[in-house]
Amino acid sequence: MIQPKYKQYDRALIEHFRITPTTNISDALTRLDLQAVRMWGILPLVRFAEGAPHVAGPAVTVRFLPCFYKAMYQESEYRYTEIVEAAPPGSVVVVEGGDLMPVQGELNGMTAVRSGHAGSVGDGPVRDADALRKLNLPIFHKKSPVGEMMSSYAGALYCASAHIPIQCGGALVRPGDLIVGDNHGVVVIPEQFVEKMRDFTKEIAQLEDDMRQKVRSGMAWKEIYRGEHRKKYFA
C-alpha cells in the first residue's frame, strides 16, 4: 500500500484562494502556460451564496477501476471511507472513478465532515443527494450524464489505489496540489506554483478592476487590449 504524504498550506494562503474566483486563477494559470489544470463539467452540488468563501485545500487522491465480479471491491487493500477518515482537516479528497462511481454518499460525506475536510471532488455522480445537501460539506461532482444515482460502487468498481497522481475532469491531480472550487468549477494549482499563483492572482484582480473602470469610462477596447488585458495573460 502506498503511504500517504499529506500536504499542509499556510492558513493565510488558503484563505486567499477561498475568496479568489477560479476565473482569476484560470487566467493566472494561463500566464504560466499550464495545461490539464481545469476540470470540465464538475460543479458544486450546492451553489455557494454570492460573496461567500468557497473551497481551497490540498488534494488527497483516490482512484477507482471497474470490477470483474461483485466481491472484487472487498479484495483491495484500499478502503475509500478509511482514506477519507484518515485524511487530515482541510483536505479535499479527489476521486477518479467515472460515471459509475459516486463521489459521495451520505455516510462517506458524514465521515468527511467529522474529519474536518474542506470539500470533496470527483468525476462521477453523487448518491443520497438530499442527505448530502444537508451536510456542511462542499461537494463537486459531474452533473452529466448521470448526475445523481441510487447505487453504490460495490460490485461495479473497486478502490484500486490512493495517494498517487490521477486525472479528474481532464485535469491532472497529484497529492498535495491545491484544489480550488467555486460556482464556476474546479481548478488545480500544482504544488510548486502555489506561491507564485498567489502573487499572480492578486495582480490579476487589480488588472480586472482597472479594466472595469476603463470600460465604464468609455475607453476603446483597442487600448485596453494593449494594456491591462495583455498584462493579465503575459506577466
Side-chain angles (χ1 to χ4, degrees):
M1 179 178 289
I2 298 170
Q3 296 302 310
K5 294 182 180 179
Y6 298 119
K7 174 71 179 180
Q8 296 288 332
Y9 289 103
D10 177 76
R11 190 65 201 170
L13 184 145
I14 292 293
E15 290 306 315
H16 166 75
F17 285 108
R18 288 187 72 217
I19 60 172
T20 300
T22 56
T23 48
N24 285 7
I25 297 171
S26 179
D27 289 343
L29 292 165
T30 297
R31 270 193 180 190
L32 290 170
D33 198 25
L34 291 175
Q35 305 298 314
V37 287
R38 302 165 184 87
M39 296 186 189
W40 304 110
I42 295 176
L43 294 167
L45 175 65
V46 178
R47 288 180 61 85
F48 297 90
E50 184 176 354
H54 42 260
V55 168
V60 173
T61 60
V62 187
R63 172 178 289 159
F64 280 82
L65 292 174
C67 284
F68 286 132
Y69 47 87
K70 184 172 68 174
M72 193 171 177
Y73 84 96
Q74 295 178 311
E75 298 169 4
S76 173
E77 59 184 336
Y78 295 95
R79 296 287 187 270
Y80 181 33
T81 306
E82 290 179 6
I83 296 166
V84 170
E85 184 177 42
S91 298
V92 177
V93 175
V94 184
V95 179
E96 174 191 344
D99 294 337
L100 295 179
M101 175 58 206
V103 175
Q104 280 290 2
E106 181 182 8
L107 297 178
N108 193 292
M110 290 173 63
T111 304
V113 171
R114 188 180 72 183
S115 297
H117 291 184
S120 177
V121 176
D123 60 355
V126 293
R127 165 184 155 119
D128 307 321
D130 289 342
L132 292 178
R133 291 186 180 98
K134 297 175 184 177
L135 293 179
N136 185 26
L137 178 72
I139 299 168
F140 293 80
H141 71 112
K142 190 175 180 182
K143 295 290 187 174
S144 65
V146 179
E148 300 176 12
M149 66 188 300
M150 65 195 78
S151 61
S152 75
Y153 66 86
L157 300 106
Y158 74 103
C159 191
S161 193
H163 315 298
I164 60 168
I166 63 171
Q167 76 85 24
C168 186
L172 170 64
V173 185
R174 303 168 306 171
D177 287 342
L178 187 64
I179 305 299
V180 185
D182 62 10
N183 288 337
H184 303 103
V186 182
V187 292
V188 183
I189 305 177
E191 181 180 343
Q192 67 268 37
F193 295 113
V194 169
E195 293 290 345
K196 183 175 286 188
M197 286 290 292
R198 172 164 54 181
D199 297 337
F200 278 4
T201 52
K202 287 180 178 179
E203 185 180 346
I204 284 172
Q206 183 59 58
L207 290 169
E208 289 276 333
D209 286 341
D210 293 345
M211 283 193 287
R212 290 186 190 97
Q213 293 176 20
K214 292 185 175 181
V215 170
R216 293 188 190 105
S217 72
M219 178 179 281
W221 265 98
K222 184 177 181 180
E223 299 301 321
I224 297 172
Y225 276 132
R226 286 180 188 164
E228 286 77 9
H229 191 272
R230 180 174 178 78
K231 290 177 184 176
K232 187 167 72 165
Y233 296 108
F234 298 92

